[in-house]
Amino acid sequence: MAASEQPYQMSFTSGGMQLNACVDLAKIRLELGSWDQAARSAVSTGLTGLPKASSNERTVRELVKRLKTLNDRELEFLLHEAHRSDQIQLLWISICRAYRFVREFASDYLNSAQTKGSDSTTVLVNTKLKRQLEKFAKQYPVHMSTRTAPLLFSAKGGGFSAQTIVNLFKRIYKIAGIEGASSHSGRRQFVTKLADQGINARLVQVLARHKHLSTTQRYIDVNENALRNAVELLK
């Protein structure tokens, strides 16, 4: 079985990052030289500060599992060079290394976010949207003549940041009187509507640019109408 096909490890017993405890535990590990010794020391001294001995031991075991994914150079950086924000990022990396399900979920979420990094792609649009984009382009011929220019631009001519887009969608939804919606709601609606109309799940996955089909399935909202329509398909 390939590494990517190994079953998920679901013993994620401590949801918090436990930054201070992790830093202390890393220090003990570098001083004692082994994770077994560091774990025993952390358990005996009540490193996590939890009132129950069993909770302390379980949490220490979880933190060791994460920190063991870091090499000695990374541990040294965590202790002596990293600022707090760097420490948080490094510990997040350790969580992703320790748990494939966290790593894949984070990867899929980031891949589906506003910024796609340097990856290029072709975005398919329907005829109605195409007409609107062509109309928009005719209004700004000079800007659109530059192929590297952002399609949607601010008053200064530059592209929007991810946070600006989030704020803009929030304002649009508020004006429209739609409550509880976010910048991600349209994406979820896009996926759900395609699924409701019977589009093959694999096609929906590609259109949504999801790496894993399981991510696409999480996006699809199941409601009573969808269930009733599914039953009506039976003849």
Side-chain angles (χ1 to χ4, degrees):
M1 182 180 289
S4 61
E5 297 176 338
Q6 292 293 329
Y8 288 138
Q9 298 180 31
M10 302 301 289
S11 57
F12 193 70
T13 58
S14 178
M17 187 166 285
Q18 300 278 348
L19 174 59
N20 294 333
C22 282
V23 171
D24 292 340
L25 185 55
K27 182 178 180 180
I28 297 172
R29 156 61 179 79
L30 290 177
E31 290 175 350
L32 298 182
S34 79
W35 282 114
D36 287 342
Q37 289 179 299
R40 286 195 292 270
S41 175
V43 169
S44 64
T45 58
L47 177 75
T48 64
L50 295 172
K52 292 185 178 180
S54 59
S55 298
N56 176 63
E57 183 176 358
R58 184 171 61 252
T59 302
V60 167
R61 186 167 60 247
E62 167 66 31
L63 299 185
V64 167
K65 182 173 185 175
R66 302 175 187 179
L67 291 174
K68 284 177 73 172
T69 67
L70 303 178
N71 58 38
D72 283 359
R73 179 66 190 91
E74 289 170 328
L75 292 175
E76 291 282 358
F77 177 78
L78 177 70
L79 289 176
H80 305 303
E81 302 174 40
H83 296 292
R84 187 172 182 85
S85 60
D86 296 324
Q87 291 177 327
I88 292 173
Q89 292 179 39
L90 190 55
L91 292 178
W92 171 244
I93 289 173
S94 74
I95 292 173
C96 288
R97 287 176 179 174
Y99 289 99
R100 183 166 65 89
F101 81 94
V102 176
R103 179 171 67 251
E104 290 182 356
F105 179 82
S107 175
D108 283 333
Y109 180 81
L110 292 174
N111 285 337
S112 66
Q114 169 71 16
T115 304
K116 294 289 183 179
S118 59
D119 292 342
S120 61
T121 188
T122 299
V123 178
L124 300 177
V125 298
N126 61 22
T127 303
K128 182 178 180 181
L129 179 55
K130 181 181 178 182
R131 286 198 297 265
Q132 292 300 318
L133 290 174
E134 289 173 343
K135 183 178 179 180
F136 175 80
K138 289 179 180 178
Q139 292 180 321
Y140 305 97
V142 176
H143 180 85
M144 292 301 169
S145 65
T146 305
R147 292 184 61 85
T148 57
L151 176 61
L152 303 178
F153 55 93
S154 67
K156 297 181 179 179
F160 290 99
S161 68
Q163 187 58 51
T164 302
I165 289 291
V166 169
N167 295 338
L168 180 60
F169 269 100
K170 185 176 181 180
R171 181 169 175 268
I172 292 172
Y173 282 129
K174 183 177 181 180
I175 293 173
I178 301 174
E179 298 181 358
S182 71
S183 58
H184 220 56
S185 299
R187 182 177 177 81
R188 180 177 291 277
Q189 175 66 11
F190 172 78
V191 172
T192 299
K193 193 166 184 178
L194 287 175
D196 285 348
Q197 294 184 8
I199 304 301
N200 182 279
R202 176 68 179 125
L203 294 178
V204 178
Q205 177 193 354
V206 173
L207 289 171
R209 298 179 64 190
H210 287 154
K211 184 177 179 182
H212 302 284
L213 183 58
S214 58
T215 304
T216 308
Q217 292 170 330
R218 288 197 296 268
Y219 269 69
I220 299 173
D221 291 324
V222 176
N223 53 57
E224 185 174 349
N225 286 337
L227 295 174
R228 290 185 181 277
N229 290 336
V231 173
E232 290 299 327
L233 291 175
L234 296 175
K235 302 296 183 180

